[in-house]
Amino acid sequence: MTDADRPDALSEDIIQDLACGRLLDLAELYAVGALGSQGESAVDQFLRSARASLRGQFSLRVLQTREALMLTYGSLDAEPPPDLLREILAKLPTPHPAP
């Protein structure tokens, strides 16, 4: 296993990105939960000591990303229409008895 394969390698990269001033570049990944728990913790810790304007910009990008995803994909918690199964079954071909 190489260093890049270690689970904490991503969080080390995130810490490096934060140290280099790339917080805003991580906003979209943070918004969709792609940083993992260690990465999110590193971002959260960094945000606690960041300038208010930077925290605001980051929060806005996270919010915009989440809103865009909701508009694009909607809620995954939606119930299917009550007649969906009946409509699907009605479109299936009727089986013909074997001769």
Side-chain angles (χ1 to χ4, degrees):
M1 177 179 274
T2 67
D3 285 345
D5 295 329
R6 292 189 339 235
D8 58 341
L10 177 60
S11 63
E12 289 173 11
D13 291 342
I14 292 168
I15 292 168
Q16 181 66 31
D17 285 343
L18 294 170
C20 292
R22 293 191 287 265
L23 172 69
L24 295 179
D25 295 336
L26 298 171
E28 290 78 12
L29 295 171
Y30 183 93
V32 298
L35 297 178
S37 60
Q38 290 179 335
E40 286 183 16
S41 294
V43 170
D44 292 339
Q45 182 178 353
F46 184 85
L47 283 169
R48 283 193 285 277
S49 61
R51 298 183 328 270
S53 62
L54 185 58
R55 285 194 311 267
Q57 290 174 336
F58 181 82
S59 295
L60 180 61
R61 285 181 73 165
V62 169
L63 178 65
Q64 289 172 335
T65 299
R66 289 177 177 164
E67 286 178 348
L69 290 171
M70 283 300 296
L71 289 172
T72 303
Y73 298 106
S75 173
L76 299 178
D77 295 332
E79 290 291 323
D83 293 334
L84 180 62
L85 180 60
R86 184 184 53 77
E87 291 173 15
I88 292 171
L89 292 174
K91 292 180 181 180
L92 293 175
T94 56
H96 297 286

